[in-house]
Amino acid sequence: MRPAPRVLGLLVAALLLGALPVPPGPPSSPSLRGLLPYPPAKREALVARHLANKASLHLLFGEKAARAYDRLLRLELANQQSGKRSAFATAEEALEAAHRFLLAIGQAVRKAPVNLEGLPMAPRHVLPHAREIRAAAHALGLPPGVLAAIVDNEQHGGDKALGLSRGVREVADGVALTLGEAPFSRTLGLAQMSWEDALKQEARLRRFGAWDPLRPFPHTEAEARRALLDPYLNLLFTASRLRGYFNALLSLPPEDTRPLEDPWLYYLGPAWHNYPLRAQNLETWDDSFNGFFKGLLYQAVLEGYWTLQGRRLLPLKPLGPGSLEAPSPPVPHLFP
């Protein structure tokens, strides 16, 4: 017997409400070969390399991640051809960078030692805060790798300047806390979160149940700056602002608190956090391009236990009662 139309309608509505939101599909783009203005032999070699990268990521993270990589590479190549800001000058450089990251991602997924040599990463700033990253991301329904990639981008930027930029920010932060005002820096802490944006996160954090209702929320610049010096609060405010971006980009209402899982978020998160105007203009640059792969890599890394030795990540097997396979760390629940 066929169900009544009313019953069918209720079933469809239930399925739609329970489905995880996904980013809108990319606009139509030229063929891959159309984005590679090279002699035929070289063009086909580049296409083959791209397809090999895509196949590798498909095996490691699934079809959606492979499609996200394809989308990112086409965006990068289109920017190279149009004269927009791009992460690399040539297709060869972009494909080589992707390949190096994919080698490391494969090692992390297999729980093998991960060789980070030559990768623009700063894991020494990320791994000590793995627990806080996972907790803050979980509180706002985000993949932890997205938040970890943001931290890596921001801290790696400070390392590139031999600590100068971070040093200037830290001095400015200290002066600001003393004087109660901000003479220089407007962003601070682990993810370089804006104190002005931090003050705007109260409603969202309470909506997600991520803020202790008994704890006063910061309402002044000095209070916000002081809160952002706490690694977990810095990450929590960052995740909250990011969730606001994502809900807007996905055309979701502010009240939507469903977990977000689409792999394209590994690109959107670092890009929109680092430079929203560039992201809105569909530009690509090093932090946005690399951020996608960093997010995937950290997503795998944060599911296990690792130690850093030089430029290598080594997997750890915590002692357990008769367990041969190291379990994933439990998702921590932290209240600010």
Side-chain angles (χ1 to χ4, degrees):
M1 183 177 66
R2 296 177 61 187
R6 175 180 172 80
V7 175
L8 279 175
L10 291 173
L11 288 173
V12 171
L15 288 173
L16 289 175
L17 288 173
L20 294 176
V22 296
S28 58
S29 62
S31 70
L32 181 62
R33 289 175 175 82
L35 295 171
L36 295 168
Y38 298 100
K42 182 176 181 179
R43 183 181 64 231
E44 293 308 311
L46 293 174
V47 169
R49 185 160 201 188
H50 167 64
L51 293 178
N53 285 346
K54 185 177 177 181
S56 295
L57 194 51
H58 191 167
L59 290 173
L60 294 170
F61 268 90
E63 181 181 0
K64 289 184 178 180
R67 288 181 179 177
Y69 157 71
D70 182 77
R71 182 177 178 180
L72 173 59
L73 189 85
R74 288 171 188 262
L75 179 60
E76 166 68 14
L77 296 180
N79 287 345
Q80 290 180 13
Q81 296 306 309
S82 67
K84 268 189 178 181
R85 186 185 301 273
S86 61
F88 302 95
T90 66
E92 294 98 321
E93 292 175 311
L95 288 167
E96 175 59 26
H99 177 68
R100 288 198 304 268
F101 269 112
L102 288 171
L103 289 177
I105 291 169
Q107 293 163 351
V109 169
R110 294 190 297 271
K111 299 292 191 293
V114 180
N115 182 11
L116 301 177
E117 197 64 46
L119 295 180
M121 296 187 66
R124 68 189 183 92
H125 296 291
V126 177
L127 293 184
H129 301 287
R131 181 170 177 265
E132 291 89 348
I133 289 171
R134 296 177 71 248
H138 176 76
L140 275 299
L142 303 177
V146 174
L147 205 53
I150 288 172
V151 172
D152 191 292
N153 274 349
E154 298 301 325
Q155 296 300 319
H156 180 258
D159 286 348
K160 282 193 300 185
L162 301 179
L164 177 61
S165 59
R166 185 180 299 113
V168 170
R169 289 195 300 259
E170 288 172 351
V171 170
D173 295 340
V175 172
L177 283 173
T178 302
L179 300 179
E181 57 186 26
F184 305 113
S185 175
R186 292 184 177 275
T187 63
L188 64 156
L190 198 59
Q192 285 301 292
M193 175 65 183
S194 158
W195 65 263
E196 294 157 310
D197 284 343
L199 294 175
K200 303 173 185 176
Q201 305 307 314
E202 182 174 7
R204 185 177 299 109
L205 287 171
R206 294 194 186 281
R207 189 180 304 123
F208 275 80
W211 191 266
D212 183 352
L214 299 180
R215 176 171 182 159
F217 194 86
H219 289 292
T220 67
E221 177 183 339
E223 291 173 350
R225 284 179 168 276
R226 197 167 288 110
L228 288 174
L229 294 180
D230 178 292
Y232 176 66
L233 292 183
N234 191 289
L235 293 164
L236 189 68
F237 286 125
T238 300
S240 177
R241 182 178 69 168
L242 200 60
R243 182 61 195 242
Y245 279 145
F246 287 162
N247 275 22
L249 290 170
L250 299 174
S251 299
L252 300 175
E255 298 77 20
D256 197 315
T257 60
R258 288 174 292 174
L260 304 178
E261 297 179 352
D262 193 280
W264 188 238
L265 300 177
Y266 295 112
Y267 165 75
L268 290 177
W272 278 85
H273 177 83
N274 183 255
Y275 215 125
L277 291 179
R278 288 183 185 174
Q280 188 174 23
N281 195 36
L282 298 180
E283 300 174 21
T284 47
W285 63 103
D286 52 355
D287 280 341
S288 69
F289 186 93
N290 295 335
F292 170 77
F293 297 99
K294 290 181 183 184
L296 291 170
L297 177 54
Y298 280 121
Q299 189 70 14
V301 166
L302 291 175
E303 291 179 355
Y305 300 86
W306 302 78
T307 185
L308 181 65
Q309 290 188 7
R311 295 297 295 171
R312 297 178 78 222
L313 282 175
L314 302 180
L316 297 175
K317 290 189 176 181
L319 296 176
S323 175
L324 297 177
E325 186 72 22
S328 296
V331 176
H333 296 274
L334 303 180
F335 253 135

